[in-house]
Structure formats: C-alpha cells, structure tokens
Amino acid sequence: MDSSAPFNQPTGTGWIEVICGSMFSGKTEELIRRLRRALIARQRVAIVKPNMDTRFSDTRIVSHSGSYLPSITVSTADEIPRAIGGATVVGIDEAQFFDMRLVDVCEQLADSGHRVIVAGLDQDYLGHPFEPMPQLLAVAEYITKTLAICVVCGNPANRTQRVAKSSARVFIGAGDAYEARCRRCFSPGSDSVSSPQTT
Ligand code: ZN
C-alpha cells in the first residue's frame, strides 16, 4: 500500500505525494495513516481541507471508516501557507475541491522544504480528469492510486458512479449518492440527469 510513498525520505528538500482514486478507495484513510506516522515521529503536521467539504466535520478530516485527525478549513488554496503555521508536513484532503492555484501552492511549499501529501478524487462522476488533480500528478514525486471494490461485480474499481440525480460536477454526498464501479460497470450519466455539465 505504501510502495509509492518515500521510504528513504529526501533530505534538504521538500516533495509532493499524491494519493488519488475513486470514492470509497481509502484515500483519506491512507492520508491519515501517513500523517499519523509523521506525528509519532514528532514532526510538525498541519492538515488542511476546503471549506465546502462539510460531510462529516468542520474541524477534522474523517475517513469513511471513521478514523480522523484534526484539520484546518480554508476557503482558497492561497490561504494554505499561512494556515499551516510552522508545520513541515502538510496534508491536504479533498484536493479536487480547490482550484488550479493549489498546484502553485503545493509547488511553493515543496520548494521551501515541506513534505506535501495531497489526497483527492482523480476523476469526476463522468470519468473525466478532475482538476487540479491531473496537474498535481504531473508535478508530484510520489503517486499512490487507491482502488475501491466495484459494487456491481467485485473487480478493483477506480470510477465513481453517481446514483443521485444531479448533473452538477460538485455534489457533496457519500454512500447514498455515489458507488465505486470498475471500468466495465461504470456508466457515466446513466443514473443522473443528462443536462450539460456545470462546474
Ligand atoms: Zn464492475
């Protein structure tokens, strides 16, 4: 599971790790696991999430399995450098809800010596790359793709099927609104209203 994260961590420089995949693939669980290890090593850790993700809590990042860590909520990516204070390890959850500025912010943090661990959905509900994740994947040193299990056939799943009726790109929900599906069982748009995509 940890094969794509650095075992021998670089010294004298920062770097970017990306954890991405579909919903229910354990992204936040993996982010929490890495941050816990940093906390045990007494490194200074800050965890940031966008203020639109209020499914579980405003002051914590929470995985679907219920583990959590305290977090700071920000409105824009540009608020992150100030929000993290003196932390050297920076976790960012639900990165797909930030705009493209997040890429520059992560690069600047890594350039100035921070370990930046970013978790987010790499595809939207239509299976399209979900910005700014593709750009983050391009500049990251380490990438982990997490896979869920297809609820239809049991294959490894990397798509998120929306089962709620909405055609908005961002539609906050969990098990009631989305399912993990494999490539074969994924049917973009079939269970949702087929109107033009809005962002
Ligand atoms: Zn399937």
Side-chain angles (χ1 to χ4, degrees):
M1 188 69 183
D2 204 18
S3 59
S4 302
F7 183 74
N8 289 314
Q9 299 192 336
T11 53
T13 181
W15 67 91
I16 299 173
E17 302 166 32
V18 174
I19 303 164
C20 66
S22 67
M23 287 182 69
F24 315 109
S25 65
K27 296 182 302 295
T28 301
E29 192 77 30
E30 175 62 12
L31 175 64
I32 289 171
R33 193 187 70 78
R34 291 185 195 181
L35 294 171
R36 280 228 171 94
R37 280 161 49 102
L39 286 166
I40 289 165
R42 301 208 178 105
Q43 294 172 345
R44 297 184 68 179
V45 172
I47 306 159
V48 174
K49 67 176 186 177
N51 67 0
M52 61 192 307
D53 180 39
T54 53
R55 279 174 301 179
F56 300 111
S57 168
D58 253 331
T59 55
R60 300 185 290 189
I61 58 166
V62 185
S63 73
H64 288 288
S65 64
S67 60
Y68 65 89
L69 285 174
S71 66
I72 307 158
T73 300
V74 296
S75 300
T76 67
D78 287 304
E79 294 175 18
I80 293 174
R82 193 171 203 183
I84 62 171
T88 56
V89 179
V90 181
I92 301 171
D93 200 15
E94 302 290 0
Q96 77 281 351
F97 291 152
F98 286 104
D99 67 15
M100 290 292 283
R101 281 289 305 151
L102 183 64
V103 183
D104 284 341
V105 168
C106 288
E107 288 261 76
Q108 284 159 16
L109 288 171
D111 287 344
S112 59
H114 297 82
R115 176 188 180 190
V116 184
I117 315 172
V118 190
L121 284 171
D122 51 1
Q123 296 170 42
D124 66 12
Y125 78 106
L126 295 172
H128 297 147
F130 205 154
E131 300 82 16
M133 296 304 290
Q135 290 76 12
L136 283 167
L137 287 165
V139 298
E141 276 85 355
Y142 305 95
I143 295 166
T144 300
K145 277 242 186 186
T146 51
L147 291 166
I149 295 169
C150 176
V151 300
V152 178
C153 75
N155 271 328
N158 78 334
R159 314 277 163 118
T160 304
Q161 180 79 45
R162 181 177 292 171
V163 293
K165 298 232 177 284
S166 169
S167 60
R169 192 176 201 188
V170 174
F171 180 79
I172 306 287
D176 53 340
Y178 294 97
E179 289 178 356
R181 298 273 184 98
C182 73
R183 176 183 296 278
R184 193 183 59 171
C185 300
F186 178 62
S187 180
S190 67
D191 294 327
S192 58
V193 179
S194 57
S195 61
Q197 177 180 318
T198 53
T199 51

mmCIF file of all heavy atoms in Angstrom, residues 150 152-153 155 182 185, ligand 1:
data_model
loop_
_atom_site.group_PDB
_atom_site.id
_atom_site.type_symbol
_atom_site.label_atom_id
_atom_site.label_comp_id
_atom_site.label_asym_id
_atom_site.label_seq_id
_atom_site.Cartn_x
_atom_site.Cartn_y
_atom_site.Cartn_z
ATOM 1 N N CYS A 150 -15.635 -2.704 -6.899
ATOM 2 C CA CYS A 150 -16.857 -2.440 -7.666
ATOM 3 C C CYS A 150 -18.060 -3.072 -6.966
ATOM 4 O O CYS A 150 -18.049 -4.276 -6.680
ATOM 5 C CB CYS A 150 -16.707 -2.999 -9.081
ATOM 6 S SG CYS A 150 -18.208 -2.815 -10.072
ATOM 7 N N VAL A 152 -20.863 -3.661 -8.218
ATOM 8 C CA VAL A 152 -21.639 -4.498 -9.127
ATOM 9 C C VAL A 152 -21.004 -5.874 -9.291
ATOM 10 O O VAL A 152 -21.664 -6.904 -9.174
ATOM 11 C CB VAL A 152 -21.804 -3.817 -10.503
ATOM 12 C CG1 VAL A 152 -22.566 -4.709 -11.472
ATOM 13 C CG2 VAL A 152 -22.493 -2.462 -10.346
ATOM 14 N N CYS A 153 -19.680 -5.900 -9.549
ATOM 15 C CA CYS A 153 -19.052 -7.179 -9.913
ATOM 16 C C CYS A 153 -17.879 -7.581 -9.024
ATOM 17 O O CYS A 153 -17.383 -8.697 -9.147
ATOM 18 C CB CYS A 153 -18.597 -7.140 -11.367
ATOM 19 S SG CYS A 153 -17.110 -6.142 -11.626
ATOM 20 N N ASN A 155 -14.821 -6.376 -9.026
ATOM 21 C CA ASN A 155 -13.494 -6.065 -9.567
ATOM 22 C C ASN A 155 -12.904 -4.845 -8.860
ATOM 23 O O ASN A 155 -13.632 -4.062 -8.255
ATOM 24 C CB ASN A 155 -13.599 -5.737 -11.062
ATOM 25 C CG ASN A 155 -13.471 -6.960 -11.943
ATOM 26 O OD1 ASN A 155 -12.776 -7.906 -11.607
ATOM 27 N ND2 ASN A 155 -14.152 -6.918 -13.081
ATOM 28 N N CYS A 182 -16.116 -0.434 -11.381
ATOM 29 C CA CYS A 182 -14.967 -0.718 -12.237
ATOM 30 C C CYS A 182 -15.224 -0.133 -13.625
ATOM 31 O O CYS A 182 -16.307 0.374 -13.916
ATOM 32 C CB CYS A 182 -14.713 -2.223 -12.327
ATOM 33 S SG CYS A 182 -15.922 -3.090 -13.345
ATOM 34 N N CYS A 185 -18.329 -1.678 -15.377
ATOM 35 C CA CYS A 185 -19.657 -1.422 -14.808
ATOM 36 C C CYS A 185 -19.974 0.069 -14.693
ATOM 37 O O CYS A 185 -21.105 0.440 -14.405
ATOM 38 C CB CYS A 185 -19.775 -2.081 -13.436
ATOM 39 S SG CYS A 185 -19.554 -3.871 -13.477
HETATM 40 ZN ZN ZN B 1 -17.639 -3.961 -12.066
#
